[in-house]
Amino acid sequence: YYQPIVCAHSNRVIGAEILARWEHPEIGFVPPDIFIPVAEKTQTIGLMTENLLRRVIADCQRPDNVLPAGFIFNVNISHSHLSASDFGTFAREFAAHFQKFGQKLTFEFTENEQIEINGDILQKLEIIRESGIAISLDDFGTGFSNLSWITSLSPDSIKIDRMFVNQISPNASTPLISCVIDMARQMGIKTVAEGVEHDYQVAWLQEHDIDCFQGYFYSRPLTFGDFLDYFRQDVMTQHLRMPPLPRDISLQH
Ligand code: G
Ligand code: G
Ligand code: MN
């Protein structure tokens, strides 16, 4: 499934987070909170992520695909996958595939589990960057991150956990979010607000210079077909939202 990521400056859909879903033929819908930990424990998470990205590539090859060059796909990467010996090959291979379509990949790493930054991990982070893949720190504010750790990971963006976004109500907010946005800006890191559900959260975050939004206010995670419909509609309403032509020009004909 694909959940839109919206640029807070242009108000346009610039990317999507890919979220794994499993519809089992007998037991029905299995939530990712159940099958992801199992895939991690059984060391099949790498294979699952590869299959997921192959599905994305297949979706991108559909004749009705209208996603532009430069469109960003965010994928969640488990730490156990990052630690696996064939991770470098995986990163290079998929970076090349997505480059062929002119589309960009971002790897999201959750801070809920601590990655021990050793030589092996640093080398893999370097491979990710060399391949042109961006790095995002997911669930920011809920886990183990400390400033020296963020410096070694050197993410391109951080995703502020929905727990904090939730605290923005019509008449209250938390200074924490604006501090995080300021810190990130000074470090040259982009900020994404997760779990945005209300217009007053959008307004508050925009006022505090957030870079991107993700959440039910914009859309739930969608199938590729529904995502394309959402994207097309976004492009169309964008034209409607365009400012009117200056008066002297529009009066000419
Ligand atoms: O998709 P939500 O809708 O329910 O996802 C629940 C959790 O599962 C989130 O923390 C999300 O990051 C994680 N998740 C979803 N898809 C993937 C995936 O493909 N890989 C990994 N590692 N985690 C995923
Ligand atoms: O941990 P990660 O950020 O990858 O998890 C994404 C999870 O958040 C998915 O389970 C997705 O379905 C869920 N999610 C996305 N937007 C919203 C939202 O606006 N509200 C809530 N409650 N959950 C959301
Ligand atoms: Mn995520």
Side-chain angles (χ1 to χ4, degrees):
Y1 275 58
Y2 299 80
Q3 188 177 33
I5 298 174
V6 176
C7 172
H9 311 292
S10 67
N11 262 319
R12 303 194 72 156
V13 179
I14 54 159
E17 177 171 1
I18 302 158
L19 292 157
R21 294 288 181 265
W22 186 14
E23 194 66 44
H24 190 279
E26 282 145 35
I27 50 183
F29 180 75
V30 185
D33 302 331
I34 304 287
F35 69 80
I36 300 283
V38 176
E40 286 169 344
K41 243 179 249 156
T42 55
Q43 267 127 51
T44 49
I45 187 76
L47 207 57
M48 193 212 76
T49 308
E50 280 183 26
N51 282 325
L52 193 67
L53 289 179
R54 281 189 224 290
R55 298 274 294 265
V56 176
I57 291 169
D59 280 343
C60 289
Q61 286 170 313
R62 277 170 47 157
D64 59 340
N65 179 17
V66 288
L67 301 178
F71 193 83
I72 303 161
F73 288 106
N74 277 37
V75 62
N76 295 285
I77 300 291
S78 293
H79 297 182
S80 60
H81 187 191
L82 179 66
S83 308
S85 58
D86 55 357
F87 182 84
T89 314
F90 158 83
R92 287 200 184 98
E93 184 190 330
F94 281 93
H97 283 312
F98 279 78
Q99 236 150 34
K100 246 187 304 188
F101 295 109
Q103 272 144 20
K104 291 187 184 165
L105 259 186
T106 300
F107 284 174
E108 292 189 9
F109 295 101
T110 177
E111 65 156 53
N112 281 326
E113 238 185 306
Q114 193 163 24
I115 316 179
E116 193 212 326
I117 306 268
N118 54 32
D120 173 59
I121 298 297
L122 282 176
Q123 200 186 348
K124 282 165 177 162
L125 293 173
E126 198 43 46
I127 293 176
I128 296 174
R129 274 195 206 93
E130 273 172 15
S131 313
I133 299 169
I135 295 173
S136 188
L137 186 53
D138 203 3
D139 309 308
F140 185 81
T142 62
F144 293 96
S145 66
N146 58 53
L147 294 177
S148 78
W149 192 79
I150 296 180
T151 309
S152 349
L153 190 67
S154 177
D156 301 278
S157 61
I158 55 178
K159 299 187 80 175
I160 301 171
D161 193 78
R162 63 169 170 270
M163 178 204 280
F164 300 102
V165 174
N166 233 333
Q167 289 171 26
I168 306 170
S169 66
N171 42 29
S173 67
T174 161
L176 247 166
I177 303 183
S178 53
C179 291
V180 167
I181 296 172
D182 283 346
M183 177 200 76
R185 189 179 318 102
Q186 289 185 39
M187 294 174 80
I189 299 172
K190 289 211 178 304
T191 48
V192 184
E194 288 189 298
V196 177
E197 295 183 359
H198 304 285
D199 56 355
Y200 51 80
Q201 295 173 331
V202 170
W204 191 92
L205 287 161
Q206 229 151 13
E207 220 169 275
H208 289 81
D209 267 339
I210 195 87
D211 292 306
C212 296
F213 297 116
Q214 190 180 341
Y216 295 165
F217 176 73
Y218 293 95
S219 170
R220 289 176 176 272
L222 303 166
T223 60
F224 192 69
D226 289 343
F227 182 76
L228 287 181
D229 287 343
Y230 185 90
F231 186 81
R232 279 195 209 97
Q233 203 158 21
D234 180 70
V235 171
M236 261 153 45
T237 55
Q238 200 68 35
H239 287 301
L240 297 179
R241 267 182 266 146
M242 261 173 35
L245 288 171
R247 237 170 198 285
D248 50 0
I249 295 177
S250 53
L251 286 178
Q252 267 173 9
H253 298 285

